[in-house]
Amino acid sequence: MRIVIAEDSAILRDGLAGLLVERGHEVVAMVGDASTLSDVVGEHNPDVAVVDVRMPPSFTDEGLLAAIELRRKYPMTGVLVFSQWIETRYATELLAGGASGVGYLLKDRVADVRDFVDALYRVATGGTALDPEVVSQLMGASRQQDSLARLTPREREVLELMAQGLSNNAIADALTVTERAVEKHIGNIFAKLDLPPSDTHHRRVLAVLRLKG
């Protein structure tokens, strides 16, 4: 396989490259940030790119966004996201066009180098390699989005104001409605998000987390 590695940690980058070269594969390029990844792939035309999620400059989701760009610009190049983190929002977008030639593995859950190389080969040849934990979280995120989709525009507006930390009275003032109307909307929000009354969980916080998730 011809491989490009995008990993900000020099030790991990060099270590991964060494393991792959030892097993007869060619690492054609390595980058420490996501901004140059697309150009490098365009230049070297690898079979597969191994991409970390959190990379410079903000160390949030640059790598995953770069992976999505690779899928769009170079659909024949496999993309294996290899990270400690699961970013469900952009991971869903990465898989939106189909899982062929895509992988998402968690660094802490890969116990055997052979398993990693096998997964990399599957992705390079048009297959799929998804960690079960990634699949589980993506399915959970999908269910959350389905429940949010059941909210009316007004209920969504109320929830967004809740996320800003506003009280019911402040929400009522912002929307020019009564506080009782706000309470009714919040009750509907809890029902549609499947958040029953609980002595151990704060439903208002859970509802906001669904919105932010």
Side-chain angles (χ1 to χ4, degrees), residues 15-199:
L16 183 57
L19 290 171
L20 292 170
V21 170
E22 284 178 4
R23 284 158 178 78
H25 304 292
E26 182 182 3
V27 177
V28 296
M30 297 187 293
V31 297
D33 62 83
S35 62
T36 57
L37 178 58
S38 180
D39 291 339
V40 168
V41 169
E43 178 183 354
H44 293 279
N45 191 30
D47 299 306
V48 62
V50 181
V51 186
D52 192 10
V53 169
R54 298 188 176 182
M55 301 185 72
S58 71
F59 295 95
T60 53
D61 48 28
E62 286 89 348
L64 199 46
L65 289 172
I68 292 170
E69 183 183 6
L70 289 186
R71 291 286 289 166
R72 179 178 58 83
K73 293 180 65 175
Y74 308 106
M76 299 306 293
T77 298
V79 176
L80 175 63
V81 176
F82 190 44
S83 179
Q84 292 176 293
W85 315 100
I86 303 175
E87 298 289 346
T88 56
R89 176 186 174 188
Y90 291 119
T92 301
E93 187 174 344
L94 178 67
L95 294 164
S100 177
V102 179
Y104 198 136
L105 299 180
L106 300 178
K107 292 176 179 176
D108 294 342
R109 288 167 58 88
V110 175
D112 190 292
V113 175
R114 183 174 57 185
D115 291 341
F116 173 79
V117 175
D118 287 347
L120 190 61
Y121 180 76
R122 288 201 307 275
V123 172
T125 54
T128 304
L130 297 175
D131 187 287
E133 182 62 26
V134 173
V135 175
S136 177
Q137 290 204 28
L138 288 177
M139 291 178 64
S142 177
R143 286 192 293 269
Q144 288 186 16
Q145 289 302 314
D146 288 344
S147 62
L148 286 170
R150 295 201 297 266
L151 301 181
T152 66
R154 175 62 84 180
E155 290 163 357
R156 181 79 181 221
E157 195 172 9
V158 169
L159 181 55
E160 289 172 350
L161 292 172
M162 288 168 58
Q164 297 176 25
L166 273 62
S167 66
N168 287 4
N169 185 55
I171 293 172
D173 290 342
L175 298 179
T176 319
V177 298
T178 66
E179 190 170 351
R180 184 175 181 84
V182 171
E183 291 172 353
K184 182 178 180 180
H185 286 312
I186 292 175
N188 291 337
I189 291 169
F190 290 157
K192 291 180 180 180
L193 297 185
D194 298 319
L195 296 173
S198 172
D199 294 329

